Amino acid sequence: MPRSIIPADQKATAFLYSEFIQRHYLQLPPTSPQVSDLAHSITKSATSIAHAVSLIRTHLLTSYRYSLEIPATQSARPLEDFLFDRRTGYCEHYATAMVVLLRSVGIPARLVTGFLATEWNGFGSYYTVRQRDAHAWVEVYFPQSG
C-alpha cells in the first residue's frame, strides 16, 4: 500500500463511487466466470477494500512466475491463459490481471503503461530511457486519497 492512502480509505469496507468512477474504472472485458470466481475467492477474507487490494497483489506475486521469455500466442483468452494455464508472464500480464480481478470485486482500478527510468547519466544530468524500461502497473482509486 502506498503511504499516500489516508487512514479512512485504508480501513473502509465500502465506498460510494461517483458515476464517473463507476463508468470509467469498473468496466470489464468479456471474461469467463472463472475470473470473477477467482477474484472473489482471493478476497473473501478481506477486512477492508485496501486489504482486498493487498490480497490480490499478494496472490499474483506468489502464485505466478515472472518471465520476459513468453512465447507469442494468438489466444482468444489471453487473461485466462495467464491466470489458469501458463501462470507465467511479465508486467503487462500481472497488471492486466490485477485490474480485472479488482474490478471483478467492485474496486475501481486502471492499467497504466510507461517507462520506469532508473539509469541516471551523471555527466549529462539526465535519465537514459530504453525500450527495456517499458513497464505496466496498476492504479487503484480511493475516494479521499485519489
Side-chain angles (χ1 to χ4, degrees):
M1 287 290 131
R3 286 177 263 248
S4 61
I5 299 174
I6 65 169
D9 279 348
Q10 288 179 358
K11 296 176 184 173
T13 58
F15 292 123
L16 291 176
Y17 298 110
S18 71
E19 182 183 327
F20 177 86
I21 295 298
Q22 291 179 42
R23 189 171 60 250
H24 288 88
Y25 303 114
L26 286 174
Q27 296 174 351
L28 284 166
T31 57
S32 71
Q34 196 177 7
V35 173
S36 178
D37 292 347
L38 176 62
H40 285 90
S41 172
I42 295 167
T43 59
K44 67 183 170 200
S45 66
T47 56
S48 68
I49 292 172
H51 187 212
V53 172
S54 179
L55 289 169
I56 289 174
R57 180 180 179 273
T58 298
H59 174 80
L60 290 169
L61 291 174
T62 60
S63 301
Y64 300 87
R65 190 173 67 83
Y66 188 90
S67 175
L68 294 174
E69 305 298 320
I70 305 299
T73 62
Q74 296 297 321
S75 172
R77 302 170 1 127
L79 176 63
E80 286 88 343
D81 286 347
F82 169 68
L83 288 173
F84 306 114
D85 299 325
R86 191 175 61 241
R87 302 180 69 86
T88 299
Y90 45 87
C91 61
E92 289 179 19
H93 296 106
Y94 282 83
T96 299
M98 185 164 181
V99 167
V100 173
L101 292 170
L102 288 166
R103 289 181 176 195
S104 294
V105 294
I107 300 173
R110 67 181 177 183
L111 177 72
V112 183
T113 59
F115 292 87
L116 181 62
T118 58
E119 186 180 331
W120 178 251
N121 181 311
F123 180 74
S125 297
Y126 60 85
Y127 281 100
T128 301
V129 180
R130 304 184 196 297
Q131 181 62 34
R132 69 175 183 239
D133 297 322
H135 192 54
W137 61 94
V138 177
E139 292 183 342
V140 179
Y141 178 75
F142 288 91
Q144 296 180 47
S145 302

